[in-house]
């Protein structure tokens, strides 16, 4: 490793001093997570520059860590003469410290005979950038570097309304920051961002992916093995990823460099080259990412599975019962005459339906029918049930169980909306087909494939429709391979391999 120059050491020390002031950031209010210095340097190193003058946008800059890392990169890697930076930070408490940091950075640049011009806006980035885009529609930035807020955006928020007025429809603050920033980039401008991976799939991000990929293309992507690898924080439930994108249209055979590491120290990075067209999949432009040869093989195996869900005449939906919206007197823990079955996630245990729960039940076992809820209940039959939410501690994301109608002497079954269920026209499925489907969904192949396009703990209906499925003959054959209890994981995987692959 080459010896660091004096200006690098000075900027490193300036960045390190930021961590002493991290407690000043209003984390709860603005959903802030500071960027570790190793990650900041790594992100800055993704940029490519041959210009003497660079304009940088840093929305949600915090104490300026990413900007400082980017300036250090420019001073180190190019014949830069002038750097202009626009920085947004809404947190009043941070501004004076940010101002001091930028003055220090400016002095370091001056010693290197580089002019640093910075503007700090203590404003809401969303409202401010919308006004800028409305006023002059200028695309003036060469670089965007960002670690935006991660929280969800409520449908009735002023931000949501303002964004919709300019044709942006997003469900999350980070996607709003990314989309607005992309619009402010010049043609061939470059964006480096660290955000959750959740935008890669799911219907909530369909419009965002469509808009984003229409004007930007991936050049580099970095994946992390665990949710804690970047921020080491229990509150971060989603996997994070870093991506370097360029504004414009990619070449036909464009290659994306995909990197993979196990922690924020970025030791032992594994890299692979993937065609861009193999990353963007389907009409919904799902972003499917492989961490290396093992996941490449999983994708190849899945592509050998024959059918879509539609091909085999099955459908999957989210459970229609929302317990807190039901009348208080219709949900019961213990049976009352006329009640029907209701299933909640807690009724799925060890890949089996455990109903009714006698002790320690948090939700309910039974639901009585009335005119308001009768259409939300399903005819008793055979359904394959999949949890929509899994905890970050669980080893699997796809957790499936078989509900066999004959086991329960009821006419109807209610399915909670934190569950997905496979059906035929909202009716049950043939028992052998249902058993085969349940075994397939519990295979390592399906769970591993799901992880190639989702870094989320949530399994959406759209995700389940993304998966390829065995044909009806294969499902029946799988279903005949066991009686009531699923076999061991090794046997499940062997059956899938022998019968389907």
């Amino acid at each position: 490793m080459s010896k660091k120059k004096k200006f690098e050491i000075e900027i490193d020390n300036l960045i390190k001093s930021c961590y002493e002031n991290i407690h000043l950031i209003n984390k709860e209010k603005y959903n802030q997570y500071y960027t570790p210095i190793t990650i900041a340097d790594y992100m800055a190193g993704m940029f490519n520059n041959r210009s003497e003058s660079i304009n940088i946008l840093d929305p949600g800059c915090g104490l300026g860590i990413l900007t400082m890392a980017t300036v250090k990169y420019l001073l180190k890697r190019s014949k830069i003469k002038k750097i202009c930076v626009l920085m947004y930070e809404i947190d009043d408490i941070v501004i004076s410290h940010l101002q001091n940091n930028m003055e220090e950075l400016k002095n370091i640049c001056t010693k290197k005979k580089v002019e640093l011009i910075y503007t700090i806006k203590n404003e809401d980035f969303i409202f401010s950038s919308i006004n800028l885009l409305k006023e002059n529609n200028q695309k003036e930035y060469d670089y965007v570097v960002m670690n935006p807020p991660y929280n969800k955006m409520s449908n009735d928020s002023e931000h949501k309304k303002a964004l919709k007025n300019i044709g942006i429809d997003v469900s999350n603050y980070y996607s709003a920051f990314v989309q607005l920033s992309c619009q402010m980039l010049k043609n061939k401008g470059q964006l480096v961002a660290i955000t959750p991976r959740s935008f890669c799939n799911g219907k909530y991000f369909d419009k965002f992916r469509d808009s984003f990929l229409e004007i930007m293309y991936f050049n580099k992507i970095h994946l992390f093995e665990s949710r804690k690898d970047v921020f080491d924080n229990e509150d971060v439930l989603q996997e994070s990823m870093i991506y370097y994108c360029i504004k414009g249209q990619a070449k036909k055979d464009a290659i994306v460099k995909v990197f993979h590491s196990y922690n924020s120290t970025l030791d032992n990075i594994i890299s692979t080259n993937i065609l861009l067209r193999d990353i963007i999949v389907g009409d919904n432009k799902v972003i499917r990412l492989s961490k290396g040869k093992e996941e490449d093989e999983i994708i190849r195996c899945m592509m050998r599975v024959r059918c879509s869900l539609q091909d085999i005449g099955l459908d999957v939906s989210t459970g229609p019962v929302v317990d807190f919206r039901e009348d208080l007197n219709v949900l019961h823990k213990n049976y009352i005459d006329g009640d029907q079955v209701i299933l909640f996630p807690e009724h799925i245990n060890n890949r089996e339906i455990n109903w009714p729960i006698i002790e320690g039940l948090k939700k309910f076992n039974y639901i009585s029918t009335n005119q308001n809820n009768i259409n939300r209940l399903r005819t008793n039959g055979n359904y394959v049930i999949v949890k929509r939410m899994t905890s970050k501690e669980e080893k699997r994301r796809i957790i499936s169980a078989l509900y066999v109608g004959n086991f329960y002497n009821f006419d109807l079954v209610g399915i909670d909306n934190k569950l997905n269920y496979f059906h035929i026209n909202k009716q049950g499925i043939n028992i052998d087909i249902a058993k085969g489907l349940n075994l397939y969904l519990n295979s390592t192949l399906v769970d591993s494939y799901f992880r190639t396009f989702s870094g989320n703990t949530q399994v959406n209906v759209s995700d389940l429709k993304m998966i390829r499925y065995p044909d009806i003959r294969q499902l029946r054959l799988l279903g005949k391979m066991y009686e009531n209890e699923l076999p061991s994981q090794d046997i499940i995987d062997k059956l899938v391999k022998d019968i389907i692959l």
Side-chain angles (χ1 to χ4, degrees), residues 193-212:
I194 181 167
T195 72
R197 190 178 160 184
S198 55
F199 75 92
C200 292
N201 66 298
K203 66 178 182 178
Y204 294 114
F205 289 95
D206 279 354
K207 291 179 180 177
F208 168 73
R209 285 195 304 276
D210 192 57
S211 300
F212 179 69

Side-chain angles (χ1 to χ4, degrees), residues 68-322:
M68 288 186 277
T70 304
V71 169
K72 182 174 69 170
Y73 157 79
L74 289 170
L75 295 179
K76 187 168 59 172
R77 300 286 178 92
S78 59
K79 296 178 181 179
I80 194 75
K81 292 183 179 179
K82 183 178 180 180
I83 304 171
C84 297
V85 188
L86 175 60
M87 311 174 77
Y88 281 89
E89 179 49 53
I90 197 172
D91 190 350
D92 297 335
I93 300 172
V94 171
I95 294 300
S96 62
H97 298 275
L98 175 61
Q99 181 77 39
N100 292 337
N101 290 341
M102 292 307 295
E103 280 299 307
E104 289 281 346
L105 187 65
K106 184 174 182 178
N107 292 335
I108 295 169
C109 288
T110 299
K111 287 186 280 187
K112 287 284 294 177
K113 297 182 180 179
V114 174
E115 183 182 11
L116 175 63
I117 302 170
Y118 68 89
T119 303
I120 297 172
K121 290 194 174 186
N122 184 199
E123 299 174 12
D124 183 300
F125 171 69
I126 291 178
F127 291 137
S128 180
S129 58
I130 286 173
N131 289 335
L132 284 175
L133 290 168
K134 281 181 176 178
E135 287 170 7
N136 50 33
N137 201 28
Q138 287 184 351
K139 277 76 172 176
E140 58 184 71
Y141 295 97
D142 304 288
Y143 290 179
V144 173
V145 61
M146 65 191 320
N147 176 7
Y150 286 14
N151 47 322
K152 290 182 179 179
M153 185 180 297
S154 63
N155 287 326
D156 58 353
S157 69
E158 293 302 314
H159 288 128
K160 185 86 168 182
K161 296 172 187 174
L163 288 163
K164 280 194 169 183
N165 283 339
I166 63 165
I168 295 177
D169 187 4
V170 291
S171 59
N172 194 294
Y173 277 93
Y174 82 78
S175 51
F177 271 58
V178 171
Q179 194 158 341
L180 287 167
S181 298
C182 290
Q183 292 193 19
M184 298 171 77
L185 274 173
K186 294 177 181 177
N187 187 40
K188 297 187 179 179
Q190 304 167 47
L191 169 115
V192 177
I194 181 167
T195 72
R197 190 178 160 184
S198 55
F199 75 92
C200 292
N201 66 298
K203 66 178 182 178
Y204 294 114
F205 289 95
D206 279 354
K207 291 179 180 177
F208 168 73
R209 285 195 304 276
D210 192 57
S211 300
F212 179 69
L213 295 171
E214 186 177 350
I215 62 171
M216 307 290 294
Y217 66 90
F218 291 107
N219 184 267
K220 301 170 190 171
I221 295 172
H222 190 104
L223 304 173
F224 296 92
E225 186 68 18
S226 166
R227 289 160 183 75
K228 296 181 183 179
D229 286 343
V230 182
F231 298 108
D232 192 23
N233 192 300
E234 290 293 331
D235 296 333
V236 180
L237 298 179
Q238 301 174 27
E239 288 182 20
S240 297
M241 62 185 283
I242 297 168
Y243 41 99
Y244 165 68
C245 298
I246 300 171
K247 190 166 185 176
Q249 297 299 312
K251 294 179 180 178
K252 184 178 180 180
D253 294 324
I255 295 287
V256 181
K257 293 182 180 294
V258 179
F259 304 94
H260 168 218
S261 68
Y262 288 86
N263 54 52
S264 62
T265 64
L266 301 172
D267 294 331
N268 302 317
I269 292 176
I270 301 165
S271 66
T272 186
N273 291 337
I274 305 175
L275 286 168
L276 179 61
R277 64 171 178 260
D278 290 337
I279 287 177
I280 312 301
V281 181
D283 294 337
N284 293 332
K285 297 182 180 177
V286 168
I287 299 164
R288 186 178 64 200
L289 298 165
S290 164
K291 293 176 181 175
K293 291 181 179 179
E294 187 175 332
E295 290 194 358
D296 285 342
E297 180 60 26
I298 288 164
I299 291 169
R300 280 193 290 271
C301 286
M302 182 57 76
M303 293 305 100
R304 289 163 59 192
V305 181
R306 296 178 182 177
C307 302
S308 68
L309 202 56
Q310 187 177 16
D311 291 336
I312 56 176
L314 299 182
D315 202 353
V316 62
S317 304
T318 299
V321 178
V322 182

